[in-house]
Amino acid sequence: MSWSRGILPALAVCVLSVTGAAGCASDDASTPTGQESAISPSPVGKVLDDTDDDGRHYREVGKKGAPQVALEVEPDAEGGWDVRLNLRDFAFSPSGTQARAVTGRGLARLFADGEPLADLRDTSYRIPEGYLAHGTHQVTARLYADDGTVWAVDGKPVESTADITASEPEPEPEPEPGSASEPESASESPAGDPGSSSPSALSAPGAFPRTEGQGSPDRGGKAS
């Protein structure tokens, strides 16, 4: 009898010990490790199968709060073109930024007639004189995420296009016969005077062609 009474408390202690250990194991399991507690960044938008001409996939985001860009292109006094980007809900990332998509951040790529012209991390750019041949051209600014995907809304890339027209230089007007700008012959010049006409009178500088450009936030906006 004494042996039986002595073993029962011992069994009870074992049951409590096992139950307590099980309880401790449950508490430990509910406490995440440092690696498990790190919150993974949620994906930004949805990557579509559609791509641009360079094979960059579109990253679809909702229209509300989506990046926007409007493009303005105007001729400058030196024969080139000044490009300005007006941005909304978008900011340029500094060079060397990690290659992952962050909401409303990235860079802009500038195209001329569909050919890449420059990657921009600023709202202004200058197309140099002579880069665009005579005729009408399309200049496009498109927004990209830092991982190289194209920001898109409703399946279309976030971009803005302006049509601009580059004019040929106007020819110099030909002097009329007998006008003051016509050079005198040697026989008509006074003796000892090799020529009475000044160099400025012999040739007039060609007039600089005046063109105007206006960007439009919608494709087809025309500047001429």
Side-chain angles (χ1 to χ4, degrees), residues 44 59 66-69 85 87-110 118-123 142-151 158:
V44 179
R59 183 176 291 276
Q68 299 180 45
V69 58
L85 306 184
L87 304 172
R88 184 174 181 180
D89 295 325
F90 185 81
F92 289 114
S93 299
S95 180
T97 299
Q98 182 180 359
R100 68 184 183 92
V102 176
T103 302
R105 298 193 67 88
L107 57 86
R109 177 166 290 182
L110 199 65
D119 287 343
L120 305 182
R121 297 184 186 273
D122 192 89
T123 56
R142 183 179 300 155
L143 301 185
Y144 290 77
D146 289 314
D147 65 349
T149 54
V150 184
W151 291 114
V158 177

Side-chain angles (χ1 to χ4, degrees), residues 127-200:
I127 301 176
E129 178 184 5
Y131 185 87
L132 300 177
H134 166 63
T136 300
H137 305 270
Q138 285 191 332
V139 178
T140 300
R142 183 179 300 155
L143 301 185
Y144 290 77
D146 289 314
D147 65 349
T149 54
V150 184
W151 291 114
V153 175
D154 293 335
K156 298 180 180 179
V158 177
E159 62 182 26
S160 178
T161 298
D163 291 346
I164 62 176
T165 300
S167 302
E168 288 184 334
E170 297 179 1
E172 298 180 7
E174 296 182 1
E176 297 180 1
S179 64
S181 59
E182 185 178 9
E184 297 181 1
S185 62
S187 59
E188 296 176 351
S189 300
D193 185 358
S196 59
S197 299
S198 65
S200 60

